[in-house]
Amino acid sequence: MIGRLRGTVAEIGEEDALIDVMGVGYVVRCGSRTLSRLPPVGEEIVLHIETQWSEQAGMRLYGFPTRDERRTFLILKEIQGVGPKAALAVLDVLSPAELAAAAGRQDKAAVARAQGVGPKLAVRIVTELKDKALTDLPVSAFVPAGEAPTPTPTPSAAGEAVAALMGLGVTEPQARRVVEAAAARLDEDVQPAALIKAALQELGR
């Protein structure tokens, strides 16, 4: 069973990437957020791998940039109605920490942003994940204020900018790309409004 790949990026597709490891090309399925953050073709990458087998599809490799994302993918797949595609879709819109926070405050709307995840499935996901450890941080770090001393983290300027662009119809991967490009030109303590304006300039609007 393959648990990790270190190699060079040979190709990047819409749903997968081809990773060259010492002359052997591995087709690795990834979420759109992971694919958008891969280095250019020819550069080295390390991906945490989950190997899945089915009679219909044979062996499939799913790749993640961190161990937390791989762990969250496995936990999501244990939930009734959540297959690999839906699990990747959830991780496209929420990082493991963000998903843990959403589950802690039972924010089904945040999970329902994932493509293919309806309201009923979103409720099931936040309910079943409420006490699950999705990251190396304790679960108590993500429960709602009043139930534990640790408050829900404040959204970052980048997170607010991405959400604003998505509200304008920009896809999540594209929104993250232009926000990251805009942030690189601005100060670290930039305000959300200024970052949104700069990101819109990146889009050519």
Side-chain angles (χ1 to χ4, degrees), residues 3 19 47 66 68 99 110 113 122 134 140 143 168-169 194:
I19 309 299
L47 288 174
T66 66
D68 282 349
L99 181 56
R113 289 167 43 211
L134 304 183
S140 60
V143 299
L168 295 174

Side-chain angles (χ1 to χ4, degrees), residues 5 30 32 53-54 98 111 114 121 139 141 151 159 179 202:
L5 287 177
C30 303
S32 60
W53 170 267
S54 69
E98 291 167 339
V111 178
L121 184 55
V139 175
V179 168
E202 290 287 336

